[in-house]
Amino acid sequence: MDVIDAVNDLRRVTHTDLAARVKNVAVILTSPRSGSSLLKSVLSSHPEIASLDGEMEPFLALTRNGFSFNAGSDALKSIDNQDVLLDNIFDDMTLPAGGESDYLFLKDRWRKRLLLQFPALFSEDRAHEQLIHDLDAVFRLAAEKKIQSEVMLQDLVLSRVFKSETWRLDYYDGKKNPAASHSFNEPFKLEEPPFVVPRQHRRQLEPDDVEQKILLFKTPPDVYRIGMYEQLFPNARIRYLHLTRGYAQSVNGLMDGWLSPVAFFSHDLERIGLDLSIKGYSDTVSFGKRWWKFDLPPNWQEYLNTSLEEVCLNQWLSAHQAIIDSRVSSLSVSFEEFLSDPAGIIQKITSYLDLPEMLSLPVFPVTMATEAPKFRRWHKRETDLLRMGKRQDVQMMMDSLAYSMNPETWL
């Protein structure tokens, strides 16, 4: 039994026939490092919106869809094992819930999530038995002490599960030790770090919900597989949000992510016998010949021997070009406007989705960050980024996305 079969067997996801009953789906289309994790986090607190804890990617891999399975990039022309993919989606889909935490439900979500994050480790019989033992102990304590703090419970779970391998905590969103010097080197990857954890005050999407609620999805590679959600949910109205961000901020964030030793490890090219030779990456970091980071555009092989800045710029350009070329109807929202006027932008989105307004917005979490958030972080690569801005394709895309080329206007 290979790792994928073992993980599927241990996760024991229940079959469901709910897909045909889904009436409304919303999909955020964007390039990576454009703020989609933050936007999704805010929208998923709406009581009428159901969402996954993370992204679609690990479920595609579990069902042998995507790069190295049935595609040569993140572009996906057909879906294999569709029923199993849908089962995994519905199993992970939750809604906001009030009241005390459902610890049994939460414990099972943690077990299933950890199998996605360290599949080679926790698919081993002894390690999986120990995982169950540790989770039982943590949630027994949580129930006794009625722990309602999400952060406290997360820390309890992670510190117990990884008590003898604390370095694994560095792969979790917001948990990295600043002094960490190791890099991600797992033998098999399903979920891409930084790892997400199950949200606490949530409830399972129920059969009665699927015709009433909106299912929200956010995965940057979805720009290369527009039409997938129409296939998965044939009777649903699919509405798209086109989230934009200026090239300088996006490319700067991408370059930081490519160089991070613990984050955004998307595709292990060693598995297909390929070495990268990207200047500023492959010759700079220990993992730079093996791991492709972020999304994999259809033209990725043209960039195997270029510079890191060229790879990152192409990821920004290709993503937005794919959205434009698809001619899909969408609501365009800029991340810069969202940061400047979050309440106004959320109201614009909820109106587009025919939802009641959100009476208040949650505290904005710091999600998927490689550095402490701050405005104009792109200034650290100002010279190189301004040089990119002289290119015609960059100027044309910025104009298409309604951005000024005046750097003073870039956050």
Side-chain angles (χ1 to χ4, degrees):
M1 182 182 293
D2 69 7
V3 174
I4 289 179
D5 287 339
V7 170
N8 276 316
D9 187 57
L10 289 168
R11 277 170 50 84
R12 300 191 299 273
V13 171
T14 303
H15 176 63
T16 178
D17 292 315
L18 295 175
R21 294 174 53 187
V22 173
K23 298 301 182 186
N24 287 285
V25 171
V27 182
I28 299 172
L29 298 175
T30 191
S31 61
R33 307 312 287 157
S34 292
S36 58
S37 293
L38 178 57
L39 178 60
K40 179 216 168 189
S41 176
V42 174
L43 288 174
S44 65
S45 67
H46 194 292
E48 299 299 314
I49 292 179
S51 60
L52 303 174
D53 280 329
E55 297 185 349
M56 177 78 84
E57 296 307 288
F59 303 133
L60 289 170
L62 269 184
T63 52
R64 303 180 193 275
N65 284 288
F67 178 69
S68 81
F69 294 112
N70 59 356
S73 69
D74 279 337
L76 194 61
K77 295 182 179 179
S78 62
I79 303 172
D80 293 339
N81 306 304
Q82 180 168 318
D83 287 346
V84 182
L85 175 60
L86 284 165
D87 291 343
N88 279 279
I89 290 170
F90 283 114
D91 183 75
D92 196 66
M93 189 72 63
T94 62
L95 286 151
E100 294 188 358
S101 301
D102 183 340
Y103 295 116
L104 287 177
F105 174 54
L106 196 53
K107 180 175 70 173
D108 191 52
R109 288 169 60 209
W110 269 98
R111 184 185 65 82
K112 290 174 180 175
R113 179 58 56 178
L114 286 159
L115 278 163
L116 297 178
Q117 294 165 347
F118 296 103
L121 171 63
F122 290 125
S123 62
E124 293 289 335
D125 290 343
R126 185 172 298 180
H128 191 255
E129 289 174 4
Q130 183 62 48
L131 172 62
I132 293 174
H133 175 77
D134 288 337
L135 290 175
D136 283 343
V138 169
F139 282 95
R140 190 162 51 245
L141 176 65
E144 290 172 359
K145 295 188 176 295
K146 299 185 181 301
I147 297 173
Q148 296 299 310
S149 166
E150 190 167 58
V151 173
M152 182 183 297
L153 187 55
Q154 291 171 5
D155 289 343
L156 279 174
V157 172
L158 294 174
S159 61
R160 175 65 184 248
V161 171
F162 300 120
K163 55 185 177 294
S164 60
E165 295 179 310
T166 56
W167 52 270
R168 292 186 186 272
L169 301 180
D170 293 326
Y171 302 136
Y172 283 85
D173 193 18
K175 305 294 184 184
K176 181 181 180 295
N177 180 347
S181 59
H182 60 92
S183 62
F184 185 78
N185 191 33
E186 290 300 299
F188 195 85
K189 188 229 83 176
L190 289 172
E191 181 179 333
E192 172 187 322
F195 295 143
V196 300
V197 295
R199 296 163 292 177
Q200 186 163 344
H201 300 286
R202 311 283 296 184
R203 67 171 179 85
Q204 186 76 53
L205 180 76
E206 300 291 345
D208 290 344
D209 294 319
V210 296
E211 296 181 15
Q212 308 298 326
K213 309 299 184 183
I214 292 180
L215 275 56
L216 174 68
F217 295 92
K218 186 283 297 186
T219 305
D222 280 345
V223 301
Y224 303 115
R225 46 198 185 219
I226 294 173
M228 179 180 70
Y229 292 99
E230 285 81 353
Q231 181 176 340
L232 291 173
F233 307 107
N235 298 318
R237 180 184 181 188
I238 315 292
R239 279 173 282 193
Y240 292 96
L241 306 173
H242 182 180
L243 178 64
T244 65
R245 194 179 190 185
Y247 85 91
Q249 305 94 303
S250 297
V251 171
N252 182 68
L254 284 163
M255 293 180 72
D256 285 344
W258 274 83
L259 296 172
S260 168
V262 295
F264 309 110
F265 289 76
S266 300
H267 299 288
D268 182 359
L269 298 187
E270 190 176 85
R271 294 174 60 81
I272 62 169
L274 190 64
D275 283 346
L276 292 171
S277 184
I278 297 173
K279 184 180 178 182
Y281 174 64
S282 303
D283 55 357
T284 302
V285 293
S286 61
F287 48 85
K289 294 184 178 181
R290 174 184 173 188
W291 286 97
W292 182 276
K293 295 205 173 188
F294 299 105
D295 57 8
L296 199 64
N299 66 350
W300 68 276
Q301 295 192 52
E302 298 173 19
Y303 292 83
L304 296 177
N305 301 293
T306 57
S307 67
L308 180 58
E309 63 184 41
E310 288 289 334
V311 171
C312 295
L313 181 59
N314 179 62
Q315 288 179 313
W316 178 79
L317 283 167
S318 294
H320 292 293
Q321 192 62 56
I323 299 169
I324 293 170
D325 289 346
S326 76
R327 298 185 179 180
V328 67
S329 177
S330 65
L331 173 69
S332 183
V333 174
S334 83
F335 185 60
E336 292 85 352
E337 288 178 335
F338 175 56
L339 291 179
S340 301
D341 181 19
I345 295 302
I346 292 298
Q347 181 182 9
K348 182 178 179 181
I349 293 172
T350 53
S351 176
Y352 172 69
L353 297 176
D354 298 319
L355 289 174
E357 289 185 30
M358 295 181 70
L359 298 179
S360 62
L361 299 185
V363 175
F364 281 17
V366 177
T367 61
M368 303 293 165
T370 54
E371 294 181 13
K374 63 180 179 181
F375 286 116
R376 294 184 170 83
R377 236 173 69 184
W378 63 271
H379 277 189
K380 68 181 180 180
R381 296 187 174 97
E382 181 175 9
T383 300
D384 291 337
L385 291 168
L386 290 179
R387 186 181 68 250
M388 285 184 202
K390 296 179 181 179
R391 289 176 39 163
Q392 184 178 14
D393 54 353
V394 173
Q395 294 177 3
M396 290 177 63
M397 182 58 71
M398 288 283 280
D399 184 63
S400 296
L401 301 179
Y403 283 97
S404 165
M405 287 304 297
N406 177 5
E408 296 300 318
T409 66
W410 303 346
L411 300 182

